[in-house]
Amino acid sequence: AITMGTFHSLCLAILRQDITRLPEELPYRSGFAVYDEYSSLKLIKKLKMRLEGGSATGAAKQTAEQKKKDDFSAGAVQAIISAAKNDMYDAQRFRLHPPAKLRALGAQKLRLAAAVFEGYQQTLRDENIIDFDDMLLLTETLLRTSERTRRKYAGHWRHLLVDEFQDTNSVQYQLLSLLARDHKNVFVVGDAD
């Protein structure tokens, strides 16, 4: 049988079946919820505001000028967290060794982003929620740490085809490597750009 899907849809299917096989420091349970981008941003805004000393409910009033001055928005923090996850950073690694490409942000913004990242991940774990980036990262962790699970899916998908390979990020590449480790049957299509 042929299985088709995006990295995210296939990873979600794997996690729905086997999330309880993750290492014990990642205590996700069956029946987890998935945050979309809006829900993720809402939580990040709440955490950022709390850390900055604003209202924990997110109801603090800002003038249009104050909002304009906020050059480090919750959306920017969300983008940083997403990029970090796609580069295979967890919150602790990000706090201890932030990516070199982000050092231009300055120490204060990096500390804030790291604190939001840690609070964000802790909240997701506590509430048994994953976001879109976690779909990939948790599946990579699952396949890397559970040989039984890796073999199950590698045996199920003995031939892998990836379209738009030039857009593959670090986590997606690691997923492919783990799934193809035994059979090495990978066919990729990509643009020259």
Side-chain angles (χ1 to χ4, degrees):
I2 294 176
T3 303
M4 292 178 54
T6 64
F7 277 103
H8 287 90
S9 67
L10 294 174
C11 287
L12 181 60
I14 290 171
L15 292 174
R16 289 279 184 221
Q17 286 289 313
D18 292 301
I19 198 162
T20 57
R21 294 182 188 272
L22 279 166
E24 64 183 44
E25 65 269 15
L26 297 169
Y28 289 95
R29 303 173 306 283
S30 297
F32 60 88
V34 179
Y35 261 10
D36 60 13
E37 194 172 333
Y38 174 78
S39 299
S40 171
L41 182 60
K42 189 174 169 182
L43 175 57
I44 288 169
K45 278 182 184 176
K46 179 180 171 183
L47 292 167
K48 182 177 178 283
M49 190 169 293
R50 186 179 300 151
L51 288 164
E52 291 174 326
S55 168
T57 64
K61 302 274 189 228
Q62 282 187 319
T63 67
E65 192 171 311
Q66 285 171 319
K67 285 182 182 179
K68 220 183 253 188
K69 286 182 181 176
D70 186 9
D71 63 337
F72 197 54
S73 67
V77 175
Q78 182 183 40
I80 288 168
I81 292 170
S82 180
K85 287 182 178 186
N86 287 321
D87 285 339
M88 302 185 71
Y89 278 78
D90 62 15
Q92 181 181 11
R93 180 176 170 216
F94 184 90
R95 179 177 45 81
L96 296 173
H97 307 288
K101 63 186 175 187
L102 294 179
R103 291 199 184 119
L105 287 174
Q108 184 178 357
K109 287 180 180 178
L110 277 176
R111 276 193 302 275
L112 178 60
V116 171
F117 193 174
E118 286 181 319
Y120 177 74
Q121 285 306 123
Q122 190 60 54
T123 301
L124 294 183
R125 281 189 196 140
D126 290 348
E127 296 184 18
N128 201 35
I129 299 168
I130 66 171
D131 65 17
F132 275 56
D133 297 314
D134 289 333
M135 281 183 204
L136 303 180
L137 202 52
L138 290 173
T139 303
E140 188 277 336
T141 300
L142 174 63
L143 297 179
R144 183 173 33 81
T145 59
S146 173
E147 184 63 17
R148 177 180 171 190
T149 305
R150 186 196 68 76
R151 276 197 227 129
K152 171 183 168 181
Y153 291 101
H156 182 71
W157 297 318
R158 292 188 311 257
H159 296 84
L160 305 170
L161 181 140
V162 181
D163 192 15
E164 300 292 337
F165 186 73
Q166 75 281 358
D167 297 331
T168 302
N169 66 33
S170 298
V171 183
Q172 293 166 339
Y173 182 81
Q174 287 304 316
L175 286 164
L176 283 173
S177 296
L178 288 162
L179 289 169
R181 180 189 300 162
D182 302 328
H183 55 67
K184 302 193 182 3
N185 293 321
V186 180
F187 183 87
V188 300
V189 179
D191 296 334
D193 60 0

